[in-house]
Amino acid sequence: MQKILVANRGEIAMRVMRTAKEMGIKTVAVFSEADRNMPFVRYADEAVCIGPALSSQSYLRAEKIIAAAKQTGADAIHPGYGFLSENASFSKEVSDAGLIFIGPSSYSIEIMGSKIGAKQAAKKFNVPMVPGTEEPIKDIEVARNIANSIGYPILVKASAGGGGKGMRVVNNEGEFEEQIRTAKSEALNAFGNDDVFIEKYVGAPKHIEIQLVGDQHGNYVYLFERECSIQRRHQKLVEEAPSSCLTPEIRKQMGECAVAVARSCNYYGAGTVEFLVDENLNFYFLEMNTRLQVEHCVTEMITGIDLVKEQINVARGNKLSFTQDELKITGHAIELRVCAEDPYNNFLPDTGKLEMYQPPKGPGVRVDDGYEEGMDIPIFYDPMIAKLIAYAPTREEAIHRLCRAIDEYYIKGIQTTLEFGKWAVQTEPFRSGNFDTKFIDKYFKPEYLSPKNEEAEEVVALLSAYIWEKDKKADATASGPVTAVNKWKINRR
Ligand code: MV4
């Protein structure tokens, strides 16, 4: 493998190319017309425009991407996350074109892409699952009996769904038939497949996932867990590793179950197995993500492993470059997704210009970003503009480090989730580790953030400038101006 085409954009395109560069591998970027001036396009050794801004006309066009690989002589394609990363046909088309797909086989993606297929495969390996059905619902009466024996509330899930899409809660038998019908018609509309199944609804679970890597020779390692319970509308906002609630025994059991799930579909590449964990630390297999995930960085920090490097290593057909025994957790990492979203307004996407952009620096701080000061955040793609990762010897120190980095992060022109993140990690539930997937619903109110007050910001800025000028003439030991300048810092968002 000598030249990798990265079939993605933004921070993850940068992330993949950085490792490629370190490995002496050339890089090709593909970009839409909206992304012509993005850093990832300049960073690549070569770049090919693949169409208009809309993803459906650019980043989702397999044939254009494969043609760009041929044209530039790339011999491998890394899909990143999102877009075509979990598209079974794309994996196959890339291989059929004589290129290496840096990811799992089309077969593995297809099995895990069907939630029912995933449950059937995992069941053969005795992986614990929430009580429910492992067949698509055909007969409402049969399903109703199963639901009654499981007990309400029940969750109806679309087999082709995932990441929370196509789920409906059924609170009692009276709602059952209606909810099944609605779920089926929604699934057909959204995914072109109306297979649904039911599960017991676990009330307020933690979401914990296990990172793993497999090679093409049947070897697997797990790289421990990530705690991803702090989500909104199934968008994760804060992720950390390790989880503050697992014991070494449960960590090992979950790791071994994750490997069993991977084995059940002959998986190779990097992958993540999602579990629900209840208050008694019972864990249940949910689904498998057959890609590198956004939050892979926290795992990299605590293990010292470069996951992209290992993806490339196994895609080349090599054996895993480390064993389970060689892996251990060192320190604690917390990631905040910095999204162009307005926490004061229901986290609605906020587009506009990054009038000012200064990422934080210093010990234990990692920023994976894809934009630069002065750029517009396009409306066409994901609102995530950066990931801020704090790494420290202990969880407590990682929390303090993340807050320090958030204070240093200076973004003007768009609303972001930075202040939300600072609030979240300082709450009592987060600090004690006693939180679940209901965290934001239960505890968050926009009033908890420092009020956004642009007028006050202007006044404080003017005052600071005035005091600064005055101070130049005054005694150098005067103490007033320092406070005023600090106030400006605090209020400038
Ligand atoms: C569940 C559940 C409760 N009980 N399944 C949401 C995403 C998808 N991966 C599965 N999801 C859930 N499945 C049962 N049987 C609750 C969720 C869920 C959730 C899971 C992880 C993280 C955040 C969540 C938010 C709402 C619901």
Side-chain angles (χ1 to χ4, degrees):
M1 199 188 294
Q2 286 169 37
K3 196 188 270 191
I4 295 174
L5 180 146
V6 183
N8 216 299
R9 64 184 297 283
E11 70 87 17
I12 194 62
M14 290 294 298
R15 165 71 194 89
V16 172
M17 290 192 291
R18 285 190 162 119
T19 287
K21 193 167 237 186
E22 288 173 13
M23 295 173 79
I25 301 171
K26 295 271 181 242
T27 54
V28 179
V30 289
F31 62 96
S32 73
E33 282 159 15
D35 284 345
R36 197 169 288 277
N37 298 316
M38 293 275 285
F40 78 93
V41 177
R42 263 178 285 130
Y43 193 86
D45 294 303
E46 293 166 79
V48 181
C49 182
I50 50 166
L54 279 181
S55 313
S56 58
Q57 296 183 44
S58 49
Y59 297 108
L60 289 170
R61 285 290 183 90
E63 79 288 359
K64 288 187 179 182
I65 291 164
I66 292 168
K70 292 277 168 195
Q71 182 197 327
T72 54
D75 46 16
I77 296 183
H78 194 300
Y81 53 70
F83 297 129
L84 293 168
S85 61
E86 294 183 279
N87 185 308
S89 329
F90 184 59
S91 170
K92 181 161 190 314
E93 284 161 41
V94 171
S95 308
D96 289 351
L99 307 167
I100 297 172
F101 181 72
I102 304 174
S105 68
S106 163
Y107 171 82
S108 302
I109 299 176
E110 199 159 315
I111 294 202
M112 291 300 152
S114 151
K115 304 309 141 206
I116 289 174
K119 288 186 87 172
Q120 287 170 351
K123 201 186 175 186
K124 297 195 184 108
F125 286 73
N126 293 317
V127 174
M129 281 180 280
V130 185
T133 55
E134 285 105 38
E135 297 286 340
I137 289 173
K138 293 262 151 46
D139 184 326
I140 294 251
E141 290 320 308
V142 174
R144 190 203 300 275
N145 286 333
I146 298 173
N148 286 343
S149 70
I150 294 172
Y152 288 88
I154 291 277
L155 204 52
V156 189
K157 296 185 176 183
S159 182
K165 278 181 248 146
M167 297 194 335
R168 300 190 77 85
V169 182
V170 189
N171 290 303
N172 53 59
E173 191 178 350
E175 298 173 7
F176 188 73
E177 186 161 350
E178 156 105 37
Q179 290 287 44
I180 295 278
R181 285 189 203 289
T182 316
K184 278 175 91 72
S185 99
E186 279 180 2
L188 187 64
N189 251 313
F191 315 113
N193 174 314
D194 73 348
D195 286 350
V196 299
F197 60 102
I198 58 175
E199 278 181 0
K200 171 128 192 103
Y201 178 67
V202 182
K206 274 178 165 283
H207 172 137
I208 296 184
E209 56 188 33
I210 305 284
Q211 175 71 55
L212 60 85
V213 189
D215 64 22
Q216 298 183 45
H217 310 277
N219 305 303
Y220 294 96
V221 287
Y222 60 86
L223 291 92
F224 314 111
E225 77 279 8
R226 292 185 289 259
E227 150 70 67
C228 305
S229 298
I230 302 193
Q231 324 202 344
R232 230 200 97 91
R233 294 191 296 255
H234 303 291
Q235 274 299 115
K236 295 167 186 162
L237 282 167
V238 178
E239 301 110 340
E240 65 177 317
S243 162
S244 55
C245 79
L246 295 194
T247 63
E249 293 72 38
I250 290 173
R251 175 170 295 125
K252 183 160 188 275
Q253 284 172 25
M254 289 180 76
E256 286 170 1
C257 278
V259 166
V261 172
R263 233 182 253 292
S264 79
C265 66
N266 299 324
Y267 197 85
Y268 56 78
T272 297
V273 178
E274 285 184 20
F275 294 94
L276 287 183
V277 179
D278 71 17
E279 62 278 5
N280 301 316
L281 295 188
N282 297 307
F283 61 88
Y284 308 97
F285 167 59
L286 265 190
E287 53 192 74
M288 180 170 188
N289 300 314
T290 58
R291 60 170 190 277
L292 184 72
Q293 291 191 234
V294 173
E295 62 272 27
H296 73 277
C297 313
V298 292
T299 301
E300 295 189 320
M301 304 311 280
I302 64 153
T303 58
I305 298 290
D306 179 334
L307 282 166
V308 174
K309 188 174 182 187
E310 203 53 26
Q311 283 188 299
I312 292 170
N313 181 51
V314 300
R316 279 173 157 161
N318 297 334
K319 292 196 167 153
L320 283 171
S321 67
F322 47 87
T323 63
Q324 191 66 55
D325 290 342
E326 287 164 355
L327 288 172
K328 78 180 205 338
I329 298 175
T330 307
H332 200 98
I334 309 178
E335 172 177 287
L336 171 65
R337 296 193 189 188
V338 185
C339 301
E341 288 175 353
D342 189 351
Y344 299 96
N345 189 12
N346 237 343
F347 292 86
L348 286 182
D350 192 34
T351 56
K353 188 173 165 186
L354 271 181
E355 280 167 33
M356 297 219 225
Y357 181 78
Q358 284 166 33
K361 299 190 170 98
V365 173
R366 168 173 170 182
V367 178
D368 280 23
D369 57 11
Y371 294 96
E372 282 169 348
E373 188 165 284
M375 295 186 71
D376 283 313
I377 307 298
I379 52 167
F380 306 99
Y381 314 109
D382 191 281
M384 193 180 80
I385 56 177
K387 302 180 303 204
L388 168 58
I389 303 112
Y391 174 67
T394 65
R395 186 170 190 265
E396 183 78 6
E397 290 164 299
I399 291 174
H400 291 309
R401 186 158 271 171
L402 185 70
C403 291
R404 182 270 288 175
I406 292 170
D407 284 345
E408 276 181 38
Y409 219 135
Y410 187 25
I411 299 181
K412 201 167 178 298
I414 49 165
Q415 288 297 320
T416 74
T417 48
L418 276 171
E419 287 299 319
F420 165 82
K422 190 177 174 194
W423 167 81
V425 300
Q426 289 181 302
T427 58
E428 191 286 321
F430 188 84
R431 294 185 143 243
S432 65
N434 187 12
F435 60 97
D436 55 48
T437 49
K438 297 258 154 66
F439 176 85
I440 295 179
D441 291 341
K442 261 193 227 162
Y443 304 111
F444 180 64
K445 290 203 184 79
E447 302 93 275
Y448 296 158
L449 307 181
S450 49
K452 119 174 121 173
N453 189 339
E454 276 156 29
E455 229 171 89
E457 223 173 77
E458 296 264 308
V459 172
V460 176
L462 277 170
L463 255 175
S464 302
Y466 169 76
I467 293 166
W468 174 255
E469 284 301 319
K470 205 176 90 176
D471 187 45
K472 278 205 272 190
K473 296 167 208 151
D475 183 357
T477 58
S479 60
V482 176
T483 331
V485 170
N486 280 344
K487 261 194 194 140
W488 176 77
K489 261 189 82 168
I490 289 159
N491 284 312
R492 67 191 176 170
R493 274 193 280 276

